[in-house]
C-alpha cells in the first residue's frame, strides 16, 4: 500500500490506519541485540512508534504509561512462553498460568494462561493480537495467550490504563497487545530444552517460521508452526512444602489469645490416608498399610487441623497440587497479503492452536462416613472392640489413598480466521486512511476430569456385608437390588481396595463446549489544519457476537466428587461506534480525547470516554494526565452459567462442614463502570543521552463490580454477621448443610491506587572508557500498590501490601544487558517487598483484642518478600560465511535456587481443598526453583 507522505512537522503524530494496543508511552524500547536478535526483530529501528490509541503517538508523548517488550528482550529471556515473560512485569499481578490454574476442575480453566494488569482481574485486562480481539478460551472470558504464534511476535505492548473508549469492554486495567511481525522475510528455526535443578519439569520447544514476498513485492506470505511438550511436576516435590505450615484457628481459645495461629507442624485431625475413626470411644483409631490398626497421637486439635502429634503422617497428602502440568501444545499460523492497487491492500490469515494438559489438584477426601459394625471388611480387632463397647457404628474420615488424585485432562482447540483490507483515499480534498476486517474464531474444549468417584456408588460399595451361607462379601444394596452391579470396597487401610471395586466407583465426568466469536470492524483516520498544528481524527464502528454452547451426558451433571458439569448456553452481541482526536492546543501542549457508545443485547447502552493532556514545557520534561470512563461487561459465565457444582467445605463455628457449591450466572447483571485518573511525568535529559525515566500515579474506581460472595463469606455473613439474605443461600437436607448457592451480582465497588515507575539507559561503554567496547542497557521497572479495596456490600478490606493477594507494597524488575559482538549477557533482578497476610488482621501473641469478623487477631501477620536473579548468555555465529546466522543460548531463572516464602491463608480455614494447595503465593513467588533452558536459533 502507498500512503500519502506526511510532512516532517507531522511525523511525530502521523495517523496510522491500523489500531493496536491502548494509549502509549513511558517506555524506552530496547534496540535489538547483535546477531540473530536483530534479524528476528526485522530491522534495526531508529525510532519505534508505539501505538495505543487509534491515533499513533511516539513512545513518551502520550497521556498514559506503557511497557514495551521488544524482540531482543524476549529472546534474551528465553521464556517457555511469552506470557511467562510478561508476568514478570511489576504492573502485571495475579495472572492465571497453566500451572496456577491446575485447581480449576469444574470450570474448565485449567491450562489457561491469562494476564492480569494491576491485579484488577483477568476479566478486566483486554488481550489483543495485533490490535484485534481473539476468541475466548473459557466461559470466563479469558484468552489463552499461548494460542498466539510465539515466533512471529515482534513486540508486546503492555498499557496500564483504561482504554474502553478506544477498544471497548474489558480494558479497565489496561491492554496487552501482542504485535505481529507482518513483514518478516526469511527462514528461522528454534529448538529449546529446559528442566529444573531437581531434574524435573523437562520441556521441549521447536518452531519453524518463514516469510517471503511474491509478485514483485506486492504480496507477502507468512507461515509459522510450533510444538511444545512439558513433563509435569506432581505431588509433594519440594522440601519447603513438607513443613506442615498452615494458618489455623488457634487451638487455645482462651481470652486474649490470637484467633488465628500461623505455625509449622500442622497436620490433619479429621482423616488419615487409610481412614480414621473421628468420634466416640474408638476415636483416633486409624487404618494403615494392608489394613493394620493403629492409634493416632493427636496434637492440639483445631477443627480439621492439629498441631504436633502425628502431624507428619496425616500431612502426607498436603500440598499435592501440581507445580507444573503435563502439556502438549501445537500451533500453526499462516498469513497472506497482496497489494491489489497502490491504495488498497488485502490480507487473509488463519491460525490453529491445540492444547492438551494434565494436572492434579488434590487427593480427594471422604469425611463423615458411617461404618456399621457388620461391615465385612472391618478388622477383627475393631469389630471385637465395638461389640465390647456396644457400638453399632462409628464415623470415619479417609484420605482415600487407594483412589487416584483428582485433576483434569483438558483439550482445547482454537481456530481463528481473519480477512481484511486497508488503504487510503482522498475525498473533498482530504486524505483518509482506513482499515476493515472480519474475524471468525472458534474454541472447542473437552473438559475432562481424571477419574473421580461417584458419591452414590462409593456409599454403596463401602456398605459391604458377608453372606454367611457363601462366605462371600457383597454390597448390602444388592440384597434389594440384585442387578445394581455394586462391587464391595474395603475402606480400612492403604492397599486394601480391589481393582474391581475401584473401577466400580470411579468415572470421568466430561463436558464439551464451543465458544464462537464473530467480529466485523472498520476504522478511518484523517486530519485537519488546526491553529497550533494538524488535528488528527480517528473514527469507526465494530460489531461483535459471542456464542457459547455445550454438551454434557446426563450421568455427569450431578452426583460426583468433582465435575458435576452442566450444559451452559447463551449468546449476546455488541454494536459500537467511536471517535478519537488529537488536538495541539499550543506549542508543546496536546489534547487527546475519545468517546465510544456501546450497546449490548443483554444490558443496553453505555458510553465510555477519555480525556488526556501532554505538556512538554522544555524538551527534557513531559507532563501528562488522563481521565477516563471505562467498562467491563459480564462474560458468558457471569451471564449464563447453569450452576456447575463442586464439593467443598466451610468453617462454621470452627468446624469444617462439607457441602456442594453451586455457582450460577445472572442475566440481569449490568456492566461495571470504572472511573480512572492518571498523572505522570517523563524525564529525558538532553545532558544524558540514552536515559529516560517516568513516574505515573493512577487511581481506578470500579462501581457495580461483577462477582460473587464466596461460600465461606456467605457462611460468615449468615452466622457471624446475621445477614439474612445470605442465610437463604444455605440449603439443608435432613438437617445437614447440603448446598450453598452462589450468584453473580453487581457488588458495591473496587478501588485501586498506585505508582508505576520506569527508568532506562543505553550507552556505548567507550563513551566512558575509551578502551572499552560493547553496549550497556539498563532498565528498571517498579509498581507501588497503594490501595486495592473490594467492597462487597458487607465488608471492605484493603489488599494492598498483602502478599497473600497479588498486590504487595512493591513489585520490581531490574535488567542489565551487555552486548559485545558476538556475545550478549543479560542479568535480571526481580522481586517483591515484605508484606502481611491481611490488613484486616491485628498481630498479637497475648492480650489480643476481641474483634468482629472478618477482622481477626493473629500471632504472625508477616510474610517475607523475595528477590530472584535470572541470567542468560547468547553467542551469535555465522554459518559457513553465508548469509545464514545462528545463536546458541542458555538461560537460568532463579539463579540461587531461592525457596518461596510460606504463606498460610486463614481465609481458607474450613475449606476441604486447602490441604491440596502449596502454602505459598504462586503468582508472586517462584515455586520451581532454579530452571535451566538451552537452545539454538538459526536464521536464513
Amino acid at each position: 500500500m502507498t500512503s500519502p507522505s506526511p510532512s516532517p512537522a507531522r511525523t511525530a503524530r502521523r495517523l496510522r490506519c491500523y489500531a493496536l494496543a491502548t494509549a502509549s508511552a513511558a517506555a524506552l524500547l530496547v534496540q535489538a541485540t547483535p546477531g540473530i536478535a536483530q534479524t528476528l526483530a526485522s530491522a534495526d529501528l531508529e525510532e519505534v512508534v508505539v501505538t495505543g490509541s487509534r491515533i499513533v503517538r511516539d513512545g513518551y508523548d502520550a497521556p498514559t504509561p506503557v511497557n514495551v517488550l521488544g524482540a531482543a528482550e524476549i529472546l534474551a529471556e528465553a521464556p517457555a512462553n511469552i506470557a511467562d515473560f510478561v508476568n514478570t512485569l511489576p504492573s502485571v499481578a495475579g495472572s492465571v498460568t497453566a500451572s496456577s490454574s491446575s485447581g480449576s476442575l469444574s470450570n474448565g480453566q485449567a491450562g489457561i494462561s491469562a494476564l492480569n494488569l494491576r491485579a484488577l482481574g483477568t476479566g478486566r485486562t483486554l488481550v489483543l493480537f495485533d490490535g484485534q480481539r481473539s476468541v475466548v478460551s473459557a466461559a470466563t472470558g479469558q484468552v489463552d495467550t499461548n494460542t498466539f504464534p510465539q515466533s512471529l511476535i515482534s513486540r508486546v505492548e503492555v498499557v496500564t490504563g483504561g482504554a474502553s473508549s478506544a477498544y471497548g469492554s474489558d480494558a479497565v486495567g489496561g491492554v496487552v497487545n501482542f504485535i505481529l511481525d507482518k513483514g518478516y522475510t526469511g527462514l528461522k528455526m528454534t529448538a529449546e530444552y529446559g528442566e529444573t535443578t531437581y531434574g524435573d519439569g523437562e520441556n521441549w520447544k521447536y518452531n519453524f517460521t518463514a516469510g517471503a514476498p511474491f509478485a514483485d513485492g506486492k504480496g507477502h506470505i507468512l507461515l509459522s508452526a510450533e510444538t511444545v511438550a512439558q513433563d509435569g511436576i506432581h505431588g509433594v516435590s519440594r522440601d519447603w512444602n513438607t513443613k506442615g505450615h498452615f494458618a489455623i484457628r488457634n487451638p487455645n481459645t482462651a481470652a486474649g489469645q490470637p484467633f488465628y495461629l500461623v505455625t509449622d507442624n500442622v497436620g490433619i485431625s479429621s482423616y488419615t490416608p487409610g481412614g480414621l475413626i473421628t468420634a466416640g470411644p474408638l476415636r483416633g483409631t486409624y487404618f494403615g498399610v494392608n489394613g493394620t490398626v493403629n492409634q493416632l497421637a493427636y496434637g492440639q486439635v483445631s477443627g480439621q487441623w492439629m498441631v504436633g502429634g502425628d502431624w507428619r503422617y496425616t500431612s502426607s497428602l498436603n500440598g499435592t497440587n501440581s507445580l507444573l502440568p503435563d502439556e502438549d501444545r501445537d500451533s500453526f499460523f499462516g498469513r497472506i497479503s497482496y497489494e491489489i492497487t497502490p491504495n488498497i491492500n488485502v490480507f487473509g490469515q488463519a491460525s490453529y492452536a491445540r492444547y492438551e494438559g494434565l494436572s492434579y489438584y488434590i487427593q480427594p477426601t471422604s469425611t463423615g462416613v458411617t461404618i456399621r459394625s457388620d461391615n465385612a471388611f472391618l478388622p477383627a480387632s475393631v469389630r471385637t472392640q465395638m461389640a465390647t463397647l456396644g457400638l453399632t457404628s462409628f464415623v470415619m474420615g479417609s484420605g482415600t489413598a487407594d483412589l487416584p488424585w483428582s485433576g483434569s485432562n483438558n483439550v482445547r482447540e482454537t481456530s481463528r480466521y481473519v480477512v481484511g483490507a486497508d488503504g487510503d483515499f482522498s475525498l473533498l480534498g482530504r486524505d483518509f486512511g482506513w482499515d476493515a476486517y472480519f474475524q471468525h474464531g472458534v474454541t472447542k474444549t473437552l473438559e475432562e476430569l481424571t477419574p473421580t468417584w461417584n458419591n452414590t456408588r462409593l456409599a454403596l460399595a463401602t456398605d459391604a456385608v458377608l453372606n454367611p451361607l457363601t462366605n462371600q462379601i457383597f454390597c448390602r444394596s444388592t440384597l434389594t437390588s440384585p442387578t445394581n452391579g455394586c462391587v464391595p470396597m474395603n475402606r480400612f487401610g492403604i492397599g486394601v481396595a480391589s481393582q474391581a471395586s475401584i473401577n466400580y466407583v470411579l468415572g470421568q465426568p466430561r463436558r464439551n463446549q464451543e465458544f464462537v466469536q464473530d467480529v466485523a470492524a472498520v476504522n478511518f483516520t484523517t486530519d485537519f489544519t488546526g491553529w497550533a498544528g494538524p488535528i488528527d481524527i480517528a473514527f469507526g464502528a465494530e460489531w461483535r457476537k459471542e456464542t457459547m454452547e455445550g454438551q454434557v451426558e446426563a450421568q455427569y451433571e450431578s452426583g460426583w466428587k468433582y465435575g458435576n458439569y452442566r450444559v451452559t448456553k447463551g449468546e449476546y452481541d455488541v454494536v459500537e461506534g467511536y471517535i478519537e482526536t488529537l488536538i495541539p492546543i499550543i506549542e508543546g501542549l496536546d489534547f487527546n480525547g475519545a468517546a465510544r457508545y456501546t450497546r449490548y443485547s443483554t444490558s443496553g447502552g453505555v458510553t465510555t470516554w477519555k480525556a488526556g493532556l501532554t505538556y512538554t514545557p522544555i524538551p527534557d520534561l513531559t507532563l501528562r494526565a488522563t481521565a477516563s470512563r471505562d467498562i467491563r461487561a459480564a462474560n458468558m459465565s457471569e451471564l449464563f452459567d447453569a450452576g456447575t457444582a463442586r464439593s467443598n467445605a466451610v468453617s462454621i463455628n470452627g468446624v469444617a462442614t462439607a457441602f456442594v457449591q453451586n455457582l450460577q450466572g445472572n442475566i440481569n447483571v449490568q456492566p461495571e463502570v470504572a472511573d480512572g485518573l492518571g498523572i505522570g511525568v517523563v524525564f529525558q535529559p538532553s545532558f544524558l543521552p540514552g536515559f529516560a525515566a517516568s513516574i505515573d500515579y493512577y487511581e481506578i474506581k470500579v462501581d457495580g463490580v461483577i462477582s460473587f460472595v464466596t461460600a465461606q463469606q456467605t457462611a460468615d455473613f449468615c452466622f457471624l454477621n446475621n445477614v439474612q439474605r445470605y442465610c437463604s443461600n444455605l440449603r439443608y437436607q435432613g438437617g445437614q448443610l447440603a448446598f450453598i448457592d452462589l450468584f453473580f451480582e453487581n457488588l458495591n465497588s473496587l478501588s485501586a491506587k498506585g505508582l508505576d515507575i520506569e527508568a532506562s539507559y543505553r550507552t556505548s561503554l567507550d563513551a566512558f572508557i575509551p578502551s572499552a567496547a560493547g553496549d550497556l542497557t539498563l532498565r528498571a521497572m517498579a509498581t507501588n500498590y497503594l490501595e486495592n479495596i473490594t467492597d462487597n456490600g458487607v465488608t471492605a478490606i484493603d489488599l494492598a501490601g498483602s502478599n497473600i493477594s497479588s498486590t504487595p507494597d512493591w513489585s520490581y524488575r531490574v535488567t542489565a544487558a551487555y552486548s559485545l559482538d558476538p556475545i550478549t549477557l543479560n542479568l535480571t533482578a526481580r522481586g517483591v517487598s515484605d508484606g502481611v497476610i491481611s490488613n484486616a488482621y491485628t498481630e498479637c501473641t497475648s492480650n489480643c483484642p476481641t474483634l468482629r469478623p472478618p477482622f481477626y487477631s493473629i500471632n504472625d501477620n508477616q510474610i517475607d518478600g523475595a528477590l530472584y536473579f535470572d541470567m542468560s548468555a547468547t553467542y551469535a555465529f555465522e554459518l559457513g560465511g553465508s548469509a545464514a546466522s545462528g545463536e546458541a543460548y542458555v538461560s537460568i531463572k532463579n539463579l540461587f535456587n531461592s525457596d518461596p516464602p510460606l504463606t498460610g491463608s486463614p481465609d481458607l480455614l474450613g475449606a476441604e481443598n486447602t490441604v491440596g494447595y502449596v502454602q505459598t503465593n504462586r503468582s508472586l513467588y517462584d515455586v520451581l526453583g532454579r530452571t535451566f533452558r538451552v537452545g539454538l536459533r538459526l536464521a536464513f
Side-chain angles (χ1 to χ4, degrees):
M1 183 189 87
T2 302
S3 301
S5 299
S7 65
R10 295 167 55 189
T11 300
R13 55 177 73 93
R14 169 68 181 150
L15 294 177
R16 194 174 288 175
C17 312
Y18 219 78
L20 299 176
T22 54
S24 326
L28 180 65
L29 182 60
V30 179
Q31 301 282 335
T33 55
I36 194 172
Q38 187 175 30
T39 303
L40 298 180
S42 296
D44 187 8
L45 303 178
E46 295 181 358
E47 177 186 22
V48 175
V49 177
V50 182
T51 56
S53 64
R54 303 291 174 170
I55 296 173
V56 171
R57 304 296 303 273
D58 180 77
Y60 280 104
D61 289 344
T64 56
V66 62
N67 299 126
V68 183
L69 304 176
E73 289 180 280
I74 297 169
L75 293 172
E77 182 83 5
N81 55 74
I82 291 183
D84 286 350
F85 183 32
V86 176
N87 281 329
T88 66
L89 297 180
S91 58
V92 180
S95 296
V96 174
T97 67
S99 56
S100 67
S101 62
S102 56
S104 302
L105 298 188
S106 301
N107 59 17
Q109 295 179 49
I112 290 177
S113 291
L115 301 173
N116 185 355
L117 287 175
R118 288 177 170 165
L120 295 176
T122 57
R124 300 184 185 94
T125 298
L126 179 58
V127 175
L128 302 174
F129 176 60
D130 213 38
Q132 302 168 354
R133 289 179 181 264
S134 185
V135 60
V136 301
S137 302
T140 51
Q142 295 169 328
V143 174
D144 187 358
T145 56
N146 286 330
T147 62
F148 301 154
Q150 310 279 302
S151 63
L152 272 173
I153 293 172
S154 63
R155 67 183 189 273
V156 182
E157 296 176 6
V158 181
V159 183
T160 46
S164 294
S165 58
Y167 287 100
S169 179
D170 304 338
V172 173
V175 171
V176 182
N177 189 20
F178 294 80
I179 297 176
L180 178 67
D181 185 2
K182 295 187 288 289
Y184 173 75
T185 299
L187 172 66
K188 57 183 177 180
M189 295 174 285
T190 300
E192 273 184 14
Y193 171 79
E195 65 176 47
T196 76
T197 195
Y198 303 100
D200 54 19
E202 292 182 296
N203 55 88
W204 304 262
K205 178 167 69 175
Y206 308 96
N207 60 50
F208 170 93
T209 302
F214 64 90
D216 296 325
K218 290 185 176 182
H220 198 88
I221 187 169
L222 288 175
L223 297 172
S224 177
E226 181 173 89
T227 183
V228 176
Q230 174 178 275
D231 290 342
I233 303 177
H234 311 296
V236 183
S237 54
R238 300 291 187 263
D239 288 343
W240 51 263
N241 193 28
T242 61
K243 298 179 180 179
H245 184 89
F246 282 92
I248 65 173
R249 175 69 170 93
N250 193 347
N252 186 350
T253 58
Q257 290 295 309
F259 187 88
Y260 284 131
L261 180 68
V262 180
T263 186
D264 292 340
N265 303 340
V266 175
I268 297 296
S269 67
S270 55
Y271 57 84
T272 59
L276 170 71
I277 300 177
T278 57
L282 297 181
R283 177 177 179 266
T285 300
Y286 75 90
F287 308 100
V289 176
N290 297 325
T292 59
V293 179
N294 310 272
Q295 187 64 34
L296 184 71
Y298 283 101
Q300 293 179 288
V301 175
S302 175
Q304 68 174 343
W305 308 100
M306 68 180 185
V307 183
D310 287 334
W311 73 271
R312 191 173 293 279
Y313 178 71
T314 65
S315 69
S316 60
L317 302 177
N318 293 355
T320 55
N321 185 227
S322 296
L323 294 186
L324 273 183
D326 288 337
E327 283 188 343
D328 286 291
R329 289 192 280 116
D330 298 290
S331 63
F332 305 91
F333 176 87
R335 186 181 195 273
I336 187 169
S337 60
Y338 187 77
E339 180 186 289
I340 59 176
T341 74
N343 300 100
I344 299 177
N345 187 70
V346 296
F347 72 92
Q349 65 187 45
S351 61
Y352 169 82
R354 185 182 188 275
Y355 168 88
E356 181 172 2
L358 169 67
S359 59
Y360 294 100
Y361 179 27
I362 192 174
Q363 174 66 52
T365 59
S366 178
T367 57
V369 181
T370 298
I371 302 297
R372 301 189 192 185
S373 58
D374 62 348
N375 191 292
F377 292 115
L378 199 62
S381 61
V382 175
R383 192 190 313 277
T384 299
Q385 286 182 289
M386 294 182 70
T388 301
L389 296 169
L391 299 177
T392 58
S393 66
F394 62 77
V395 177
M396 183 177 76
S398 176
T400 62
D402 280 1
L403 297 178
W405 291 353
S406 290
S408 63
N409 190 10
N410 290 344
V411 178
R412 191 175 296 110
E413 295 180 310
T414 298
S415 302
R416 185 171 179 267
Y417 310 93
V418 185
V419 293
D422 57 65
D424 58 81
F425 62 91
S426 296
L427 181 66
L428 301 176
R430 195 161 308 282
D431 294 333
F432 289 83
W434 65 273
D435 71 84
Y437 76 94
F438 175 78
Q439 172 199 292
H440 176 71
V442 180
T443 295
K444 295 181 179 181
T445 66
L446 170 60
E447 301 164 12
E448 184 177 59
L449 296 190
T450 58
T452 190
W453 70 68
N454 180 279
N455 294 323
T456 299
R457 292 180 199 165
L458 182 61
L460 295 178
T462 300
D463 190 16
V465 294
L466 182 68
N467 185 334
L469 298 179
T470 64
N471 205 36
Q472 292 182 331
I473 299 174
F474 61 98
C475 302
R476 192 187 306 272
S477 62
T478 303
L479 292 172
T480 55
S481 182
T483 60
N484 69 353
C486 181
V487 180
M489 175 178 284
N490 187 344
R491 298 289 303 278
F492 308 109
I494 301 170
V496 295
S498 69
Q499 188 60 51
S501 66
I502 293 173
N503 293 341
Y504 167 69
V505 303
L506 295 181
Q508 287 189 264
R510 65 183 65 91
R511 170 172 61 182
N512 292 99
Q513 292 217 131
E514 182 177 84
F515 308 96
V516 179
Q517 181 188 73
D518 292 313
V519 182
V522 60
N523 305 290
F524 297 92
T525 60
T526 189
D527 56 43
F528 296 86
T529 301
W531 61 92
I535 298 174
D536 296 329
I537 294 177
F539 58 96
E542 181 175 306
W543 169 85
R544 176 163 51 96
K545 184 176 182 180
E546 305 275 0
T547 304
M548 174 179 67
E549 60 181 19
Q551 185 273 328
V552 180
E553 293 181 38
Q555 64 172 316
Y556 297 132
E557 291 185 349
S558 62
W560 299 86
K561 176 64 174 176
Y562 298 109
N564 302 306
Y565 295 119
R566 302 287 178 87
V567 176
T568 302
K569 297 182 179 181
E571 68 176 42
Y572 67 87
D573 58 71
V574 188
V575 178
E576 49 195 338
Y578 76 92
I579 186 170
E580 182 176 7
T581 185
L582 172 65
I583 303 175
I585 300 175
I586 60 174
E587 181 66 28
L589 177 63
D590 289 346
F591 169 79
N592 178 226
R596 174 182 288 254
Y597 178 76
T598 304
R599 183 168 186 83
Y600 291 89
S601 60
T602 52
S603 56
V606 61
T607 300
T608 55
W609 54 266
K610 72 172 179 179
L613 291 172
T614 58
Y615 178 50
T616 306
I618 59 174
D620 294 9
L621 187 69
T622 298
L623 308 176
R624 59 190 179 194
T626 299
S628 66
R629 167 67 58 87
D630 301 286
I631 61 167
R632 182 184 80 87
N635 59 46
M636 304 291 275
S637 175
E638 293 163 340
L639 290 169
F640 306 115
D641 199 308
T644 297
R646 61 186 290 254
S647 301
N648 207 340
V650 290
S651 176
I652 299 177
N653 297 323
V655 178
T657 306
F659 72 100
V660 174
Q661 177 174 299
N662 189 32
L663 177 61
Q664 302 173 56
N666 179 2
I667 192 65
N668 296 315
V669 292
Q670 297 296 304
E672 301 174 348
V673 178
D675 291 313
L677 174 66
I679 301 173
V681 59
V682 178
F683 182 49
Q684 299 178 90
S686 55
F687 59 83
L688 186 57
F691 177 82
S694 65
I695 180 169
D696 290 272
Y697 168 81
Y698 69 87
E699 60 179 53
I700 301 170
K701 174 70 177 298
V702 185
D703 289 318
V705 170
I706 303 171
S707 187
F708 62 93
V709 174
T710 67
Q712 185 61 60
Q713 289 172 330
T714 298
D716 289 345
F717 293 161
C718 174
F719 292 103
L720 301 178
N721 298 84
N722 299 315
V723 182
Q724 187 55 44
R725 77 182 184 98
Y726 290 108
C727 293
S728 62
N729 290 349
L730 280 68
R731 289 190 284 136
Y732 293 81
Q733 291 181 352
Q736 300 294 320
L737 178 65
F739 299 92
I740 296 182
D741 294 324
L742 308 177
F743 302 91
F744 285 104
E745 56 184 320
N746 291 106
L747 301 180
N748 281 18
S749 64
L750 181 156
S751 62
K753 298 178 182 178
L755 292 173
D756 289 325
I757 302 169
E758 179 167 1
S760 55
Y761 180 59
R762 179 182 174 126
T763 186
S764 179
L765 292 184
D766 62 8
F768 299 95
I769 307 173
S771 60
D775 295 324
L776 177 67
T777 300
L778 304 175
R779 187 176 189 185
M781 292 177 281
T783 293
N784 181 201
Y785 293 97
L786 300 173
E787 179 180 287
N788 190 289
I789 299 174
T790 297
D791 184 345
N792 58 28
V794 179
T795 60
I797 298 174
D798 188 0
L799 298 179
S802 168
N803 287 26
I804 284 289
S805 74
S806 302
T807 50
D809 284 327
W810 286 94
S811 180
Y812 54 88
R813 186 178 193 272
V814 180
T815 301
Y818 173 70
S819 299
L820 178 61
D821 195 19
I823 296 174
T824 300
L825 303 175
N826 194 83
L827 178 65
T828 297
R830 55 185 171 87
V832 298
S833 60
D834 294 347
V836 298
I837 294 176
S838 174
N839 291 317
Y841 298 158
T842 298
E843 183 175 314
C844 56
T845 56
S846 61
N847 299 317
C848 296
T850 300
L851 302 172
R852 187 176 181 83
F855 302 96
Y856 296 100
S857 57
I858 190 168
N859 69 313
D860 184 2
N861 197 31
Q862 305 304 306
I863 299 176
D864 291 339
L867 172 62
Y868 301 104
F869 290 92
D870 308 328
M871 70 167 295
S872 64
T874 302
Y875 178 78
F877 55 89
E878 300 296 326
L879 294 177
S882 66
S885 60
E887 276 187 347
Y889 57 92
V890 59
S891 173
I892 306 175
K893 293 191 68 175
N894 192 357
L895 184 63
F896 299 109
N897 198 31
S898 300
D899 291 339
L902 299 179
T903 58
S905 181
D907 290 335
L908 296 175
L909 170 65
E912 168 196 1
N913 303 332
T914 303
V915 179
Y917 288 107
V918 293
Q919 293 299 293
T920 190
N921 187 341
R922 296 164 72 152
S923 70
L924 294 184
Y925 303 119
D926 187 311
V927 298
L928 299 182
R930 185 186 298 113
T931 302
F932 303 90
R933 296 187 70 78
V934 294
L936 179 67
R937 304 184 187 107
L938 299 176
F940 303 90

